[in-house]
Structures are given as C-alpha cells and as structure tokens.
Amino acid sequence: MKKVWFAIGLLFLLLSIIPVISVAKEMQNKELDYQVIPDEAIRLRILANSDSEKDQDVKHKVRDEVNEVITEWVKDIDDIEEARQLINDRLPELEEVIKDTLKKENSDEDFELEYREDVSFPAKLYGNYLYPEGEYEAILVTIGEGSGANWWCVLFPPLCFLDFFNGTSVAEGEEAQAQAEEEEEEVEVEFFLFKWLGLS
C-alpha cells in the first residue's frame, strides 16, 4: 500500500513540475532578443593573429587600449558626424596606440588599421542578445594573419560594456542555452522532490 501511495505522490509531483518547466522555458526564450544598436553607430572589430592563447591575449590588450582611447575621445560627443570626423583625423594616433601595445606585449606581428562603412561582421550572441551578421561602419584592426577569433563592440554611441567581452558564437550560445535549460530542469526536479519528501 505504501508503494501505491508513493507512486501516486510521485506522479502528482511530476505533473506539478511540468508547468513550472514550461513557464521557465518560455521566459528564457523571450529573453533571447535583439539589443538595439542605432542605425548610425560606429563599431570596433579586432581580429587576432590566431587562436593561440598568446595571440588572443594580445587581441584583448589591444581591445582594452583602443576602446579606452576612443571612449575618451567621444565621451562628450552626441553627433555621429562629429565622431566620424574626430576618429578619421586621429587614426594616426590610434595606430601609435596599437603599435605601442603590441610592443609592450612583445608581439612582433604587423597590424592593419581601417575605418570603413562595409566591415563584415558575423552573427554573434552576447549574453541574451543576438546580433545579426552584416556589413557595418567600423574601425577594423587586423593583427598579423587575422585568422583568429574576433571581438567587437559599439564605440559610438558607447556600448562597449562588460557583457560584450564574453561573447560567444551563435552556435556556442545555443549549445550553452540548451545545457542551461537541461540543468535548470534537473534543479527543479531535485528541489520539488526534496521538498515533497520533507528533506529541504
């Protein structure tokens, strides 16, 4: 008789968990959306020489220096034409910043600095925000062969916030999301099971 009551209780428990999981999934799917980037924006894209740990570290150092410098330049500007002119005029300074950074990192790689309206960007998932691929106005820094993983953000208006630093590819993001959903379901089951058995 105890086994019957246990089976009935377990069935009731499972039936009560299903709606909770469904709601959690729906909320999570709604969070995956586009973070609005203005039509008139200036991005920064940096291509590493390779995917080696050293080359990726160099890319991050260049990223930090370039972002810091340009953010300082445009912090009091709210007109994109003014920002464009300023950046164009100061590209030689930016080249020196990159050159000095590579020197500090003991990197002997060459680099190319471009400011164009047609820089190609891959689709990217940053946190809960999905950014579509396309061609955008941007500063492009190519270090060495430029065959390593890229990093990008929006320089103007300034949107290079910390979440962008941990971007993953769309495929990686979907895989991570699926894993998170699976782990969430396991946690929910364990929580209700322990509560039902009086162990929580």
Side-chain angles (χ1 to χ4, degrees), residues 32-191:
L32 184 60
D33 202 354
Y34 291 99
Q35 172 72 20
V36 176
I37 294 177
D39 291 334
E40 290 194 322
I42 301 172
R43 302 184 181 206
L44 168 65
R45 186 179 185 200
I46 301 177
L47 298 173
N49 177 58
S50 75
D51 284 330
S52 72
E53 185 176 347
K54 177 183 177 183
D55 285 343
Q56 287 295 311
D57 185 56
V58 168
K59 177 191 72 177
H60 293 148
K61 291 295 194 302
V62 171
R63 170 200 72 189
D64 292 344
E65 293 298 325
V66 170
N67 180 41
E68 182 178 355
V69 168
I70 296 182
T71 299
E72 183 65 26
W73 289 351
V74 302
K75 68 177 183 179
D76 296 323
I77 297 176
D78 55 13
D79 178 72
I80 192 165
E81 289 298 337
E82 186 178 349
R84 285 172 177 147
Q85 187 63 51
L86 183 147
I87 291 172
N88 265 315
D89 291 345
R90 304 183 77 168
L91 282 178
E93 292 180 45
L94 205 54
E95 284 187 349
E96 289 302 316
V97 169
I98 298 170
K99 189 182 297 182
D100 290 345
T101 304
L102 292 176
K103 186 176 180 180
K104 288 178 186 176
E105 297 303 311
N106 297 316
S107 172
D108 57 1
E109 298 293 344
D110 293 328
F111 71 92
E112 185 176 4
L113 173 64
E114 304 173 81
Y115 179 24
R116 310 197 320 256
E117 295 182 357
D118 59 350
V119 177
S120 295
F121 282 76
K124 206 74 170 177
L125 187 68
Y126 285 103
N128 291 324
Y129 302 122
L130 177 65
Y131 297 88
E133 65 179 324
E135 293 186 346
Y136 301 96
E137 179 178 357
I139 293 170
L140 174 63
V141 180
T142 305
I143 304 172
E145 297 295 323
S147 59
N150 81 102
W151 178 92
W152 70 265
C153 77
V154 179
L155 290 170
F156 185 87
L159 294 174
C160 287
F161 47 82
L162 186 60
D163 286 351
F164 277 17
F165 291 1
N166 298 313
T168 59
S169 69
V170 172
E172 291 169 336
E174 289 174 349
E175 183 179 341
Q177 183 181 357
Q179 183 178 351
E181 289 177 357
E182 184 178 337
E183 290 174 354
E184 182 179 350
E185 289 179 16
E186 291 176 359
V187 170
E188 292 285 353
V189 171
E190 289 177 5
F191 173 76

Side-chain angles (χ1 to χ4, degrees), residues 5-45:
W5 282 111
F6 179 81
I8 292 173
L10 188 58
L11 180 61
F12 177 80
L13 172 66
L14 292 174
L15 290 174
S16 65
I17 290 174
I18 291 172
V20 174
I21 292 174
S22 298
V23 171
K25 280 187 177 181
E26 185 177 350
M27 291 177 63
Q28 194 167 25
N29 288 334
K30 285 182 179 178
E31 288 178 355
L32 184 60
D33 202 354
Y34 291 99
Q35 172 72 20
V36 176
I37 294 177
D39 291 334
E40 290 194 322
I42 301 172
R43 302 184 181 206
L44 168 65
R45 186 179 185 200

